[in-house]
């Protein structure tokens, strides 16, 4: 993805209270259930850093995250960098309480270009990945809790 491309944006309703959605996206044990199963730790605290490796089958990607903003129960943002590759993005999760549950408004904004030569860094791959995590996995995880 390139910084000149629009952010990946997903708005998804979940049939659970905002507090449960917040915990699912900020508690490392719960994140391992629907997101990345090898996140070693995660804390919704500005400046918190974590790293873990994801194997795509053809390549391994060292994920380096740093929490950049927190509004407890409402918003969390973290930088998204891959060790050994150029590029930087920010993932921002906004939660809204709704009558019949809660809504997550998500944006993944590229700040520094990722390389064109890596298939996992294309816009299509990014869109597919976030849809998989937020529309499929997280929704199913929350529905079954």
């Amino acid at each position: 993805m390139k910084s000149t491309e629009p952010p990946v944006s997903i708005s998804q309703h979940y049939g659970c209270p905002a507090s449960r959605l917040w915990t699912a996206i900020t508690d490392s044990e719960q994140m391992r259930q629907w997101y990345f199963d090898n996140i070693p730790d995660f804390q919704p605290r500005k400046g918190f850093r974590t790293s873990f490796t994801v194997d795509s089958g053809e390549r391994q990607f060292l994920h380096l995250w740093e929490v950049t903003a927190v509004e407890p129960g409402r918003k969390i943002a973290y930088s998204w960098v891959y060790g050994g590759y150029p590029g930087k993005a920010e993932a921002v999760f906004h939660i809204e309480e709704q009558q019949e549950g809660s809504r997550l408004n998500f944006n993944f904004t590229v700040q520094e270009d990722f390389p064109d030569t890596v298939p996992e860094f294309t816009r299509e791959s990014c869109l597919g990945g976030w849809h998989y995590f937020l529309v499929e996995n997280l929704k199913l995880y929350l529905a079954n809790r």
Side-chain angles (χ1 to χ4, degrees), residues 11-145:
S11 183
Q12 179 65 47
H13 178 268
Y14 302 93
C16 69
S19 60
R20 186 158 34 136
L21 177 55
W22 173 257
T23 302
I25 68 169
T26 60
D27 176 81
S28 56
E29 187 173 317
Q30 290 193 35
M31 292 167 78
R32 284 190 287 271
Q33 301 300 309
W34 66 271
Y35 203 11
F36 292 103
D37 62 4
N38 62 337
I39 294 174
D41 191 20
F42 189 84
Q43 297 175 25
R45 176 177 47 82
K46 188 174 180 180
F48 174 79
R49 293 178 182 185
T50 193
S51 64
F52 56 97
T53 300
V54 173
D55 188 337
S56 74
E58 295 189 27
R59 283 174 270 291
Q60 292 196 344
F61 296 97
L62 175 61
H63 288 58
L64 304 168
W65 293 352
E66 181 177 352
V67 176
T68 57
V70 178
E71 293 175 29
R74 297 189 56 220
K75 174 187 172 184
I76 189 154
Y78 44 90
S79 62
W80 194 294
V81 174
Y82 296 100
Y85 293 96
K88 181 179 181 181
E90 184 176 50
V92 181
F93 301 76
H94 285 269
I95 297 173
E96 298 175 12
E97 188 78 52
Q98 295 188 324
Q99 280 187 331
E100 300 293 323
S102 53
R103 177 164 297 281
L104 177 65
N105 294 305
F106 170 81
N107 283 298
F108 187 78
T109 305
V110 175
Q111 298 161 327
E112 297 172 17
D113 293 353
F114 291 96
D116 290 338
T117 56
V118 180
E120 292 86 350
F121 295 154
T122 65
R123 181 169 180 77
E124 294 74 23
S125 179
C126 192
L127 285 165
W130 285 113
H131 186 273
Y132 172 75
F133 284 127
L134 301 177
V135 178
E136 296 174 30
N137 279 9
L138 181 57
K139 190 165 190 157
L140 183 63
Y141 174 75
L142 290 168
N144 291 327
R145 284 195 50 84

